[in-house]
Amino acid sequence: MLRNNTVTLQARDVLALGGHKWSQMEPARYQELVQAALQQGVTTLEAGQDGGEAALLQAYQHAQMHQLTGTDRPNNQAVTVLTRVGYRTIAPPRGEADVVASASQNDDAVRSTTHSPATFFLPLDIHVEDIPAPESTDPKAATKSQVVHNVGKEYLQKAIRASPLLNTTTPHDLRIVPLLHNPEVQVILMQDKSPEQRQNRLKERLQDAFLALEEQIQAGTIASYGIASNGLGLPSTHPLHLDYRTILQAAAHVRDTLGHAVRLSVVQIPANVLETNGLAVARDLHAAVSADPDLLPHLELHCMRPLTCYPDAGTGTGHPFVVADYQIPATMEKKLSWTNEMTAPPELYDVALKSALQHFDAEEILQAKQDGIELSADQRETLDGCKLLQSLLHDVDVGLDNLRSFRAHEHDLYQKIIPLIHDTFESYDDETARVLQSFFAAYSMAVRYAIARNTRKLLQHGENHGKRTKEVPVYEDLPPTTRLQEFGLDFVLKAKVFDKLVVGCRQPDQILDDLDIVQRFLDGKLNVMEEKDTQDQSTTDQ
C-alpha cells in the first residue's frame, strides 16, 4: 500500500489512465492520449466501455508500431489493462413478437425476451433500465433496448471470450485484469429486503464470480481480476451499499474452497473531495487485509474518480462535474491563463455576446414596424426568430452563474439549444452563421471559466453558497492560488491508502500535468518522511 511503501515511488507508479472518456474523442486524439501515458512510463491503463477495449488495443498497437511506448518502464514491467465487466445492452428483437420468459429461477431475475442469438439474455441477468432503440420499420418490434447487469459464471465466460483484448493477436506484454463493475447492482431489486439479506446475496454472487475468474486465471486467459464499485463509497444505509467485509468473506470462502490465496488484485473505490466516504472504507479495507496478509496478498487499492464528482454518488443519472481549473485566453491578446487566476469571464466572450445580441436585434424590421409599414410574412417570422434568439442568448448567459458540469452543459447544448436554433431558422446567411459560430466558440471558454468558478464556490461554501451543509464537505481554506486539480489530487494522496489513482484525461497535456502534481506530492512526502525518520532515530539514540 502507498502509505507503507518504503521504496521511492514515481508518479508513473501511482497514476493510471482512466478510460471512461475515450468515446468522447476522435480516434487519433485517443491514440495520442494512450501514447502520452505510455511514453511517460504509466503501466496501468483502463479500457473504456462500449468499444473501449478495441480502441485501447488499437492505440497500444499503434504506439508499439511507432515505438512510442517508452523505454523507462521499471524492469520492462508489463502494461496492465483494466477492463470492466457487468453491464451490457440487449437490443430489441426485430421481425418477431416479444415472448416473455424467466431469465433464471431466482426471485429477483429479470423477465427476458426470446429473440435472435445475436442478442440474448443469460441466467442472473438483472434489469437496470430501458433505453431508446433505433427506429424500426417492423411494427411488431420492441422500441426499447434493455441495460442488464450480470456477474455470473456463464456471463463472465462469454464476456471474456468476446473481449478484443483476449485473442491471439494481443501483445504478450499486456496483463488483462477484468473488474467486476458495480456488483451491488445484483441486489437492485431487493430494496425491500434487510441489509443483511442484501449483503448475503452479494456474497453469494461474488463467491461464484471469484470461482469463475479463478478458472480463467488457471486457463491462462487473464492475469488476475478485481472489483470497481460505486457501492463501496455509499453509506451503509443505502440499498446499493457494498460492504467491504462482504468482499473479504467471499474471498475467504473461495480460498478455503480452492486451497490457495485468492487472486483478487484490484479494488477500485470512488473517493474525492466531495465523496469522502470512500476514504474511510479504503482505510478499513487496508487494515483488514493487513491483518490477514495471506487472504489477498496481491491486492491494490485504486482510487477511481479522484477528480470526478457525482451529485448522486454515481447511483443515478445525475450529471458529474470535474474538480479542475482550465487554461483559456483571458484577454483579447489570447494569452492563456488558468481559470483560478481570472476574476471575470474571457473578454472574447463579452465581445461575442454583444455582437450576437446586436446581430439579432432586428433593428431595421422594428424601425419599419414603428414607421407604420406593414410587415411581410417573412419579416414577421424573422422578427419572431430574432426575439427568440436574443432570449436564448440571454438565458445561456445567465445560466453560466449556476453551471458546474460539462455533461449538463453538453446535454443542454445538443438537446435544447442547437435544436431550437435549427427549428427557429430553416436557413440563415453566411453572416449569421459566422456570428453564431463565433459566439459558441467564445461561449465554450466562458463555460470552462464558469464551471471552475462554481465548483470552487461549492468547495468553499457548500451547496447554499455561504451556509454549511451536511450533504457536502466544505473547504473554506482552499487557496485561490491552488488549482482545483492540485487540491483534489493532493487531498486523495494525503489519505495514504491508495496504491493508484485512476484519472480520466481529455488531452495529453493533462496526463503530464497530473503526473507533475503527483510527483511534486511524492517528492514533498519523501522529504517529510526522511525528516521524521531522522527525528525518530535521534530520539531513540538519546
Side-chain angles (χ1 to χ4, degrees):
M1 299 294 173
L2 179 60
R3 70 185 208 171
N4 289 332
N5 202 325
T6 58
V7 179
T8 302
L9 288 173
Q10 298 296 315
R12 67 188 182 194
D13 303 318
V14 178
L15 197 74
L17 178 63
H20 67 283
K21 294 180 180 178
W22 83 270
S23 60
Q24 302 173 24
M25 309 172 201
E26 295 294 328
R29 172 67 56 80
Y30 181 65
Q31 287 186 351
E32 291 175 1
L33 200 64
V34 173
Q35 290 163 12
L38 293 171
Q39 284 180 306
Q40 295 301 315
V42 174
T43 57
T44 301
L45 309 175
E46 184 177 67
Q49 300 179 84
D50 297 328
E53 292 182 344
L56 177 55
L57 179 59
Q58 184 179 15
Y60 186 81
Q61 291 173 330
H62 182 271
Q64 276 195 320
M65 185 183 305
H66 294 83
Q67 298 182 338
L68 298 172
T69 57
T71 58
D72 56 351
R73 277 190 238 154
N75 301 319
N76 295 318
Q77 182 178 348
V79 172
T80 296
V81 177
L82 308 175
T83 176
R84 298 185 178 189
V85 292
Y87 294 97
R88 74 186 193 283
T89 301
I90 305 294
R94 294 182 179 276
E96 59 181 84
D98 293 352
V99 180
V100 178
S102 175
S104 75
Q105 299 302 314
N106 295 308
D107 58 346
D108 59 352
V110 65
R111 304 295 289 179
S112 70
T113 304
T114 302
H115 46 73
S116 64
T119 54
F120 50 84
F121 288 87
L122 294 171
L124 304 183
D125 275 348
I126 299 296
H127 179 266
V128 179
E129 64 175 333
D130 294 326
I131 58 175
E135 293 294 334
S136 173
T137 57
D138 187 346
K140 296 182 179 180
T143 58
K144 299 283 186 181
S145 291
Q146 295 186 44
V147 177
V148 297
H149 185 275
N150 201 321
V151 291
K153 179 176 181 178
E154 186 174 346
Y155 160 74
L156 291 172
Q157 289 176 335
K158 289 181 179 292
I160 290 173
R161 192 182 306 128
S163 172
L165 291 168
L166 299 171
N167 54 55
T168 56
T169 62
T170 299
H172 64 85
D173 59 346
L174 287 183
R175 295 180 64 256
I176 311 303
V177 180
L179 306 180
L180 301 172
H181 189 192
N182 290 340
E184 63 273 6
V185 173
Q186 287 292 300
V187 296
I188 196 172
L189 302 180
M190 294 179 62
Q191 297 191 28
D192 60 333
K193 307 296 183 182
S194 69
E196 292 76 17
Q197 289 174 303
R198 291 196 294 268
Q199 294 305 315
N200 285 334
R201 174 61 57 82
L202 288 174
K203 183 173 68 173
E204 294 170 359
R205 293 287 194 266
L206 289 175
Q207 288 171 180
D208 292 343
F210 291 175
L211 287 169
L213 292 168
E214 290 286 340
E215 289 181 6
Q216 294 293 324
I217 296 175
Q218 191 66 27
T221 311
I222 60 176
S224 61
Y225 56 93
I227 294 173
S229 168
N230 280 301
L232 284 169
L234 294 173
S236 58
T237 55
H238 196 285
L240 288 179
H241 167 69
L242 173 58
D243 195 318
Y244 75 91
R245 288 166 294 195
T246 300
I247 298 174
L248 298 178
Q249 291 165 8
H253 172 84
V254 173
R255 176 184 61 178
D256 294 342
T257 301
L258 299 178
H260 61 72
V262 175
R263 286 167 285 194
L264 178 74
S265 65
V266 174
V267 172
Q268 288 191 355
I269 303 173
N272 52 63
V273 291
L274 294 178
E275 297 173 71
T276 58
N277 196 55
L279 294 177
V281 173
R283 290 190 186 99
D284 290 341
L285 179 55
H286 174 269
V289 172
S290 299
D292 186 2
D294 294 331
L295 177 60
L296 298 171
H298 306 296
L299 182 66
E300 289 187 350
L301 296 186
H302 291 192
C303 176
M304 67 177 184
R305 302 200 280 104
L307 297 177
T308 304
C309 310
Y310 278 81
D312 51 16
T315 61
T317 57
H319 294 300
F321 57 97
V322 178
V323 179
D325 278 292
Y326 305 92
Q327 275 190 307
I328 57 176
T331 65
M332 295 300 290
E333 285 129 12
K334 298 185 178 180
K335 181 181 178 180
L336 294 180
S337 300
W338 286 100
T339 47
N340 64 304
E341 300 170 344
M342 299 169 58
T343 57
E347 290 180 1
L348 184 61
Y349 172 68
D350 288 333
V351 173
L353 176 61
K354 290 176 182 177
S355 176
L357 290 172
Q358 184 177 2
H359 181 77
F360 293 109
D361 63 8
E363 183 178 0
E364 293 182 3
I365 298 177
L366 287 173
Q367 184 62 50
K369 183 178 181 180
Q370 187 175 350
D371 293 340
I373 300 175
E374 185 175 352
L375 302 181
S376 66
D378 287 344
Q379 286 178 314
R380 289 195 300 271
E381 287 182 5
T382 300
L383 181 60
D384 290 341
C386 286
K387 288 180 179 178
L388 185 60
L389 259 296
Q390 280 200 324
S391 176
L392 174 65
L393 293 173
H394 174 74
D395 289 344
V396 297
D397 180 54
V398 172
L400 291 173
D401 290 339
N402 299 311
L403 186 61
R404 68 181 185 214
S405 167
F406 274 109
R407 191 79 60 84
H409 158 66
E410 291 171 348
H411 178 270
D412 288 344
L413 184 65
Y414 294 112
Q415 300 296 323
K416 299 177 182 179
I417 298 173
I418 292 178
L420 181 59
I421 293 174
H422 284 300
D423 290 343
T424 302
F425 296 103
E426 293 184 2
S427 62
Y428 36 77
D429 56 28
D430 291 342
E431 178 65 14
T432 298
R434 184 193 64 78
V435 168
L436 288 173
Q437 184 176 6
S438 297
F439 170 77
F440 282 107
Y443 176 62
S444 68
M445 292 185 288
V447 164
R448 283 166 171 75
Y449 169 77
I451 287 176
R453 179 197 60 185
N454 294 334
T455 301
R456 187 175 292 267
K457 283 184 179 180
L458 173 67
L459 291 173
Q460 290 179 316
H461 306 295
E463 284 287 357
N464 296 326
H465 295 259
K467 296 181 180 180
R468 287 186 176 273
T469 64
K470 296 180 180 179
E471 288 76 16
V472 297
V474 176
Y475 305 93
E476 295 177 345
D477 57 348
L478 170 57
T481 55
T482 299
R483 292 180 296 145
L484 293 176
Q485 53 265 52
E486 293 172 332
F487 181 72
L489 292 176
D490 183 72
F491 175 84
V492 175
L493 287 164
K494 280 180 178 176
K496 304 178 185 178
V497 291
F498 291 110
D499 298 282
K500 290 191 185 294
L501 275 58
V502 185
V503 183
C505 299
R506 288 177 178 265
Q507 302 284 347
D509 287 348
Q510 286 179 264
I511 296 176
L512 302 180
D513 187 38
D514 290 342
L515 284 168
D516 179 63
I517 294 170
V518 174
Q519 191 61 55
R520 282 189 278 123
F521 173 86
L522 293 174
D523 290 343
K525 177 172 181 279
L526 179 63
N527 294 333
V528 171
M529 289 177 65
E530 288 178 343
E531 180 181 347
K532 184 178 185 301
D533 290 342
T534 302
Q535 293 174 348
D536 291 345
Q537 185 62 47
S538 298
T539 302
T540 302
D541 293 340
Q542 292 174 0

